């Protein structure tokens, strides 16, 4: 079976250092009529170290564009001659700035462009980029003005000059965090075992009716047994109602066992090929969206320090007004639920207090940085759970806008009322 798209995205765990792979495609609207020699790529760390680390270079252009003035191709997307690769620790590459230099025989004519990786790329993501090329600054910090061949041919006005550009394909590859890689490897082994067992089991079960025809006789008592069971439901319901004090613990035990077996069965089913295909349609969009966030990148890939619980909560909690209101009401309701159990509820608050602090901080740290500490204290102290700390944050963030909007609508209503009154007064005067 060919693995599906999500299985490829989740199960293929890169290992080792990070790798920045660049394919130089073409350079457009270059100045003068000189043919460039090559394109070089190097990176500088976020700390400023390494101006020119691992500088690597392509060969000369493969051909000149026929439909563009002084524009050159550096090979096709799959050509190895125009592919540049830099290998380094992923955290270093992710925070680095990459410099591309279009080199001429006369170094004073070189053109350059820079690209900050973490602002442009995500790990194991490919981007097609068009970068503007500028002259390399001299020691005094000045740049030689460009004279684009395209602009010279079209018009002499500087406002119509074409900016030289470099077109390329850029991809950043890197490993998962060790704990994520361990989980991925474990899932790989589990899915392989489930596939082997399901292949053998499905074939054996499907052949039973052919090899043992007598098995079909087991279906004979199914209909009368189902009829008796349906007829006995009212009797069983009455017995359950009368014996609630006795049957309730048994019912809870059976319910717990049923839910546990259902969870185990669901996990086994969603581990099969068909189960993985079904869950792909639900999980893949959410997974890809989460993976494109800064927090998702820091959780899955080794691109720097691990995110805090608050930043993780911030990535998954809603940011709109209604969504925040619902979450805030739920947080305050859970905190106040301890009043339902007078003594044991305060013990629950000890567990809920840090969770409430993280959630409130993720929601309203930008508006009220100290609100999360209020949420923590009101959950820890006895008889203070009635304070709706999360809802107060919502009022602080959205209350002024709601009041301003209400004032604006009231003003509109007053003006409309005045117009109606004046119109009626004029109509009355005209009749007199």
């Amino acid at each position: 079976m060919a693995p599906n798209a999500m299985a490829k995205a989740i199960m293929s765990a890169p290992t080792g250092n990070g790798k920045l792979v660049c394919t130089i495609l073409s350079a457009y609207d270059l100045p003068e009529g000189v043919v460039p020699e090559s394109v070089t790529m190097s990176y500088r760390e976020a700390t400023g170290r390494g101006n020119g680390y691992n500088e690597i270079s392509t060969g000369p252009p493969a051909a000149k564009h026929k439909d563009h003035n002084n524009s050159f191709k550096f090979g096709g997307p799959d050509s190895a001659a125009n592919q540049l690769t830099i290998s380094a620790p992923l955290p270093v590459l992710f925070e680095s700035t990459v410099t591309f230099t279009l080199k001429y025989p006369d170094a004073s004519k070189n053109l350059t462009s820079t690209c900050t990786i973490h602002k442009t790329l995500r790990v194991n993501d490919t981007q097609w980029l068009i970068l503007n090329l500028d002259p390399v600054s001299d020691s005094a910090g000045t740049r030689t003005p460009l004279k684009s061949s395209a602009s010279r041919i079209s018009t002499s006005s500087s406002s119509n000059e074409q900016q030289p550009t470099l077109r390329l394909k850029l991809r950043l590859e890197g490993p998962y965090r060790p704990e994520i890689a361990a989980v991925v490897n474990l899932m790989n082994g589990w899915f392989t075992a489930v596939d082997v067992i399901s292949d053998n089991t499905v074939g054996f079960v499907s052949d039973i009716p052919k090899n043992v025809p007598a098995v079909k006789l087991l279906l004979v008592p199914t209909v009368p047994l189902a009829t008796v069971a349906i007829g006995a439901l009212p009797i069983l319901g009455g017995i359950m109602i009368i014996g609630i004090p006795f049957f309730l613990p048994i019912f809870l035990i059976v319910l717990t066992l049923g839910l546990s077996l259902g969870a185990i069965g669901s996990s086994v089913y969603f581990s099969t090929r068909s189960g993985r295909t079904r869950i792909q349609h639900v999980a893949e969009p959410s997974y890809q969206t989460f993976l494109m966030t800064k927090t998702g990148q820091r959780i899955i890939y080794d691109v720097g320090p691990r995110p805090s619980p608050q930043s993780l909560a911030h990535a998954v909690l809603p940011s709109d007004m209604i969504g925040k209101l619902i979450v805030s009401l739920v947080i305050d309701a859970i905190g106040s639920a301890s009043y339902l159990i007078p003594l044991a509820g305060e013990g629950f608050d000890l567990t809920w207090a840090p969770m409430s602090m993280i959630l409130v901080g993720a929601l309203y740290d930008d508006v009220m940085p100290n609100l999360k500490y209020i949420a923590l204290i009101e959950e820890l102290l006895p008889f203070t759970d009635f304070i709706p700390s999360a809802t107060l944050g919502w009022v602080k963030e959205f209350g002024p806008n709601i009041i301003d909007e209400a004032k604006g609508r009231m003003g509109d209503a007053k003006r409309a009322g005045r117009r109606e009154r004046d119109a009626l007064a004029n109509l009355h005067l005209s009749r007199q």
Side-chain angles (χ1 to χ4, degrees):
M1 181 205 67
N4 55 46
M6 189 178 71
K8 287 182 178 179
I10 299 178
M11 294 298 105
S12 56
T15 57
N17 276 343
K19 185 189 297 184
L20 185 65
V21 181
C22 176
T23 302
I24 304 296
L25 303 177
S26 56
Y28 277 75
D29 302 320
L30 300 182
E32 305 297 337
V34 184
V35 179
E37 289 184 329
S38 62
V39 176
T40 63
M41 179 175 71
S42 61
Y43 75 91
R44 183 178 70 254
E45 297 181 16
T47 57
R49 294 180 58 249
N51 189 7
Y53 268 171
N54 293 348
E55 183 175 277
I56 52 177
S57 175
T58 67
K64 186 174 182 179
H65 277 288
K66 296 181 180 180
D67 54 345
H68 288 80
N69 295 299
N70 212 43
S71 301
F72 299 89
K73 299 179 181 179
F74 282 83
D78 299 324
S79 174
N82 61 329
Q83 190 173 89
L84 306 175
T85 302
I86 291 177
S87 181
L90 183 59
V92 175
L93 275 181
F94 190 71
E95 298 292 338
S96 66
T97 300
V98 179
T99 301
F100 299 95
T101 304
L102 187 72
K103 292 201 169 183
Y104 286 93
D106 181 1
S108 63
K109 298 182 182 296
N110 288 353
L111 302 176
T112 185
S113 182
T114 59
C115 173
T116 304
I117 295 300
H118 74 271
K119 295 180 180 179
T120 308
L121 285 176
R122 294 291 182 261
V123 183
N124 295 326
D125 177 41
T126 302
Q127 293 288 339
W128 301 75
L129 304 176
I130 300 178
L131 304 178
N132 291 331
L133 292 168
D134 296 307
V136 178
S137 302
D138 57 20
S139 57
T142 59
R143 294 184 174 184
T144 305
L146 292 177
K147 293 183 179 180
S148 171
S149 58
S151 64
R152 291 203 316 272
I153 293 174
S154 60
T155 176
S156 59
S157 175
S158 61
S159 61
N160 293 326
E161 288 188 358
Q162 298 293 325
Q163 174 76 33
T165 56
L166 182 66
R167 306 186 181 201
L168 52 90
K169 181 176 72 171
L170 198 60
R171 178 177 176 82
L172 178 63
E173 300 177 356
Y176 292 132
R177 291 195 180 276
E179 59 273 20
I180 300 297
V183 172
V184 168
N185 293 331
L186 182 62
M187 292 174 65
N188 276 326
W190 168 252
F191 290 158
T192 302
V194 170
D195 289 342
V196 172
I197 295 173
S198 63
D199 289 342
N200 296 329
T201 304
V202 169
F204 172 74
V205 172
S206 61
D207 291 338
I208 288 179
K210 299 178 182 178
N211 300 330
V212 188
V215 173
K216 298 179 181 179
L217 298 176
L218 297 176
L219 299 177
V220 174
T222 302
V223 175
L225 289 176
T227 304
V228 172
I230 293 174
L233 285 178
I235 300 174
L236 294 176
I239 295 174
M240 290 291 295
I241 293 174
I242 295 174
I244 281 180
F246 175 75
F247 289 114
L248 184 59
I250 300 176
F251 174 76
L252 293 177
I253 294 173
V254 172
L255 179 63
T256 303
L257 291 176
L259 292 176
S260 301
L261 292 176
I264 294 173
S266 299
S267 63
V268 171
Y269 169 73
F270 287 120
S271 298
T272 62
R273 291 191 184 94
S274 59
R276 296 199 298 268
T277 302
R278 287 178 178 275
I279 201 173
Q280 172 192 357
H281 302 295
V282 178
E284 185 174 14
S286 300
Y287 171 76
Q288 294 296 337
T289 301
F290 174 72
L291 194 59
M292 288 299 103
T293 63
K294 184 176 180 180
T295 301
Q297 290 278 297
R298 292 174 61 189
I299 290 175
I300 303 297
Y301 299 109
D302 188 12
V303 294
R306 291 169 174 79
S308 64
Q310 180 171 314
S311 61
L312 177 59
H314 180 75
V316 298
L317 289 174
S319 57
D320 60 290
M321 182 176 68
I322 301 301
K324 279 192 169 184
L325 176 60
I326 294 173
V327 174
S328 299
L329 292 175
V330 171
I331 293 172
D332 291 332
I334 294 175
S336 300
S338 60
Y339 289 122
L340 300 175
I341 310 175
L343 297 179
E346 297 300 331
F348 167 77
D349 285 343
L350 297 177
T351 304
W352 175 246
M355 299 172 63
S356 175
M357 175 183 174
I358 292 172
L359 295 174
V360 172
L363 287 170
Y364 303 113
D365 234 16
D366 297 336
V367 181
M368 298 178 67
N370 296 324
L371 183 62
K372 57 178 177 287
Y373 303 115
I374 297 176
L376 176 66
I377 293 173
E378 62 101 347
E379 290 294 342
L380 290 177
L381 293 178
F383 311 115
T384 57
D385 295 342
F386 65 91
I387 301 175
S389 52
T391 307
L392 290 176
W394 184 88
V395 172
K396 171 66 176 178
E397 180 173 0
F398 299 103
N401 293 334
I402 294 175
I403 293 174
D404 291 341
E405 184 177 355
K407 288 181 178 179
R409 293 188 177 184
M410 290 178 64
D412 294 340
K414 288 180 179 179
R415 285 189 291 270
R418 292 192 192 100
R419 287 195 297 267
E420 292 290 336
R421 185 185 61 190
D422 294 340
L424 291 175
N426 293 333
L427 179 61
H428 180 71
L429 291 174
S430 64
R431 288 179 178 179
Q432 290 180 350

